[in-house]
Every structure is written in C-alpha cells, then in structure tokens.
Amino acid sequence: MKSVCVLHLFSNKMVRSFRDVRQEEISLMIEKIRISSSLRVNLSEILVNLTNNVICRVAWGRKYGGKTDFKDLMKRLTRLLGEFSVGSYVSWLAWIDWIRGLDGQLIKREKSVGFEIDRLSIKAIILDVFVGGMDTTYTLLEWAMTELLCHHECLDRLQEEVRMVCKDKSGVSEEDLQDMKYLKAVIKETLRLHPPLPLMVPHESTHDVKLRDYHIPAGTHVMINAWAIGREAATWGPDVEEFRPERHLNSYVDYRGQDTELVPFGAGRRICPAISFAVVLDEVVLANLVHQFDWTLQVESTEYQTDVTESTGIAVHRMFPLFAMASPTT
Ligand code: HEM
C-alpha cells in the first residue's frame, strides 16, 4: 500500500506534477490576505485552509472549502491519535479507555493478511494521508511564521533573500526556491525546534535488540522523541533553545533520514514518504508570504501572540491561533 501511495502521490515526478495546484491555491491565499490586509489576519486559519485544499485536490481531485464538519472531524481525529491509551500498556487497566470512551471513538484498523486493496485498506490509507499530511504541513508553516515574527532580524534576512532572487517578479515560483539558502535554513530550524510530530508515531520492535546496556524484547512499544533530539545541546551547542537558522547554512546535517541529529520525518523504513511533497509546499508558501507582504505582530496583543503554548494531540501546533498584520509590498 505504501508503494502505491509513493508512486501515485509522493514520487518526485508526481510532486512536480502538482505544481499548478500549489500555485493556484497560493494565489487564492495571497488574494485573501490582500483583501483583509488592513485588518489583522488569522494566519493559522489561512494556512490550515491552504494545506487542506492542496492535499484534498491532489488526493481526491476536489476540495472541501468551508465545510467545517470535515475540519472538525480531522481535528478530533488528530487529538485522539495523540491520546495515551492506558490499555495498550497495562492490559488489566484497559477498562479505563472504555470509560474514557477512547475505544468507541477511534476508527480502528484491522490487520489484513497479505496484500489486498479492500475498502478498509483504502479508508486506512486515506486516513493516513489526511492525518499524516494536513496537520503536519500547516503546523510547520505556523511555527515558522511565529518564530520569524518573534525574530524580526531573521524575517528581514529572509525577505531580503526572497526579494533579491525574485526582484522583478510578481510572485515566487518553485524554480526560484533552489537559490534561497536562507529560506531552506529557516524551514530546517523550524523543524528542529518544532517537529510537527514530536513523538512520531509509535513503533514496535519486531525482534529482540540489545542497545548498549539495554535489552529490548520483541514486541516492545518504542517511542522516538524527535523533539528532544532537536534540542540536544551536545549536538547543537549552548544556544540550542534559540531560533537561529544561520546554524544550518554551512552544516551537512539534513532532515531526510540520513542524519540522526535531525529526524522530524523519522528515519529508516517507516520514514515519512511525503517529505518532498511537504517541503516544497511549505517552502513556496513561506517564500510567497514574505515576498508579497511585510508582517508584524499586533502591538496591543504582543504578549498573547508570543505565547507559544503548544496544543495536545499527535501533531503539536500552537494552542492559540496566530494573528498578524500584513502590509502588501506593491
Ligand atoms: C512537515 C510535514 C510532515 C512531517 C514533519 C511529517 C512527519 C512524519 C513522521 C515523523 C512520520 C512517522 C515516521 C516514523 O514513525 O518513523 C510520518 C509518516 C507518514 N507521513 Fe508524514 N510528515 C509530514 C507531511 C506529510 C504529508 C504532506 C503527507 C501526505 C500527504 C504525509 C504522509 C505520511 C504517511 C502516509 C506516513 C505513514 C508512513 C508509514 O506508515 O509507513 N506526511 N510523517
């Protein structure tokens, strides 16, 4: 099933073929911000809508615009997936999940034997794509804009780069991205400090493993803390907690699963299959946002805006939506 998805949705060829969808949705987003630019813009909502629309269009060929029931369902689902299931760890306490209603609420996946694309598998894949794709992709953009708004020197540097590369252009196209080193460093630094899936998804060891002095028996539930790995002072230095994209400009460390210092997409066989899909979308959206507008936090609500409290759930985004003022540059 994974290879079917990789072939039809996530391969470099397919990702390139969705370029028009991304450009169209970005133009609509820019227009929406332009209309409300004298007012404060709810950036979180705008970014959720954009990523939802792009993913719906490429996966299903249509979008679900203003259908809040669909968005609410996704929200509930991602929160549920992040819930701690007591029964999975202490079987005789499974009744606690039943009382909490966790069992009844989750859409369960059955184990299928062999390879057979039945209705259930298709539903599971659709769910994987939506849960895996939507919250994560917009969360990265939301945190990138939050950090840039709190670190104006980084926003200025990014704007300078983007506007220099696209001097006489009305917007940023995907070909322009390769010349934007600082943009890529901003995305990397955001993934380091705010991996959208901080604990990834649970893994289970398939055989006994000895790791240093630890014996890990087959069947052990393994959680990998990508958040802590990105904040390891021994790797990243004493300023590990600071948002400083410059640290990546001359660094070999990348997030595509080869370097254990940075694993926001996981590594190995279960690595996220949609890295290119997500990164190109986030890069081109962020570049267009800073190309077309100057951004500031609302002065009177600075304290509230810089409150970076995180939500609960499998994907960790801002607890409070991000509002900002946008001034068009042309
Ligand atoms: C910034 C955006 C994204 C991040 C940070 C991210 C991160 C991850 C992580 C950490 C995993 C689990 C890896 C593991 O457990 O080893 C994963 C799996 C997955 N992701 Fe992503 N992801 C992103 C975007 C997307 C998008 C856009 C899609 C689809 C459109 C997607 C589809 C999937 C799928 C289907 C899996 C499950 C793969 C499997 O079960 O083997 N992801 N992702």
Side-chain angles (χ1 to χ4, degrees):
M1 285 304 293
K2 190 166 175 174
S3 46
V4 171
C5 272
V6 168
L7 194 68
H8 293 287
L9 271 182
F10 307 135
S11 66
N12 285 339
K13 190 171 153 217
M14 288 314 288
V15 170
R16 272 198 304 276
S17 77
F18 302 138
R19 191 174 53 177
D20 289 351
V21 174
R22 287 188 289 271
Q23 290 299 156
E24 272 172 42
E25 291 300 327
I26 288 171
S27 303
L28 290 171
M29 174 190 76
I30 296 291
E31 216 29 61
K32 213 186 286 173
I33 299 175
R34 237 176 245 285
I35 290 166
S36 54
S37 60
S38 55
L39 309 163
R40 58 183 203 154
V41 177
N42 185 340
L43 255 178
S44 300
E45 193 180 289
I46 283 180
L47 296 172
V48 172
N49 285 338
L50 174 111
T51 46
N52 284 7
N53 288 344
V54 170
I55 292 175
C56 282
R57 282 184 65 182
V58 301
W60 288 349
R62 56 169 290 196
K63 55 185 178 184
Y64 288 81
K67 296 267 188 333
T68 46
D69 45 349
F70 177 73
K71 277 186 227 144
D72 285 351
L73 177 73
M74 291 313 297
K75 223 185 202 168
R76 256 187 16 235
L77 190 64
T78 45
R79 187 184 54 75
L80 273 172
L81 287 172
E83 291 271 353
F84 174 74
S85 158
V86 180
S88 305
Y89 293 90
V90 189
S91 51
W92 62 272
L93 289 178
W95 55 270
I96 296 178
D97 292 340
W98 182 75
I99 289 180
R100 290 159 74 212
L102 206 61
D103 280 356
Q105 291 179 65
L106 264 184
I107 297 161
K108 293 231 180 93
R109 228 194 279 180
E110 277 175 19
K111 282 190 185 134
S112 51
V113 185
F115 185 76
E116 190 184 306
I117 309 183
D118 54 10
R119 279 179 74 84
L120 201 66
S121 308
I122 291 168
K123 282 187 197 167
I125 282 291
I126 290 171
L127 203 62
D128 253 15
V129 169
F130 282 101
V131 175
M134 284 183 180
D135 248 19
T136 48
T137 311
Y138 106 80
T139 299
L140 178 56
L141 282 169
E142 196 188 40
W143 283 119
M145 282 305 288
T146 301
E147 291 289 4
L148 289 169
L149 284 161
C150 295
H151 298 87
H152 241 274
E153 67 290 357
C154 301
L155 180 54
D156 291 346
R157 185 164 176 184
L158 177 62
Q159 257 170 345
E160 205 175 292
E161 176 183 84
V162 172
R163 290 173 188 179
M164 201 179 72
V165 174
C166 302
K167 221 182 296 161
D168 303 314
K169 297 188 175 175
S170 57
V172 180
S173 70
E174 290 178 14
E175 289 77 51
D176 302 319
L177 298 177
Q178 63 198 20
D179 298 320
M180 298 182 182
K181 305 273 176 290
Y182 195 71
L183 171 76
K184 289 175 191 297
V186 165
I187 293 284
K188 226 187 233 188
E189 183 69 340
T190 311
L191 282 165
R192 180 183 74 81
L193 282 175
H194 307 282
L197 297 180
L199 296 178
M200 303 194 192
V201 292
H203 288 232
E204 194 177 289
S205 52
T206 48
H207 51 266
D208 290 2
V209 177
K210 190 161 169 15
L211 193 64
R212 299 217 172 121
D213 292 335
Y214 294 93
H215 170 67
I216 303 164
T220 304
H221 215 165
V222 181
M223 308 289 287
I224 295 159
N225 192 338
W227 185 92
I229 292 172
R231 288 172 189 246
E232 176 69 63
T235 311
W236 298 102
D239 61 353
V240 66
E241 295 290 333
E242 277 170 41
F243 180 78
R244 208 172 58 77
E246 288 75 10
R247 72 175 84 238
H248 301 286
L249 289 175
N250 294 312
S251 161
Y252 70 91
V253 177
D254 196 27
Y255 46 67
R256 289 180 186 266
Q258 301 303 315
D259 304 305
T260 47
E261 298 93 327
L262 191 63
V263 286
F265 295 99
R269 288 173 67 185
R270 298 304 301 274
I271 193 169
C272 175
I275 301 179
S276 304
F277 186 109
V279 170
V280 73
L281 177 60
D282 282 340
E283 285 180 354
V284 73
V285 171
L286 188 59
N288 272 289
L289 283 176
V290 302
H291 181 256
Q292 313 273 334
F293 302 99
D294 287 328
W295 291 95
T296 45
L297 285 172
Q298 270 194 303
V299 179
E300 70 271 25
S301 62
T302 304
E303 204 178 308
Y304 168 71
Q305 282 303 296
T306 50
D307 180 342
V308 289
T309 308
E310 296 170 337
S311 68
T312 54
I314 192 167
V316 172
H317 39 86
R318 287 175 57 107
M319 179 81 103
F320 308 110
L322 174 64
F323 287 94
M325 299 290 287
S327 328
T329 50
T330 51

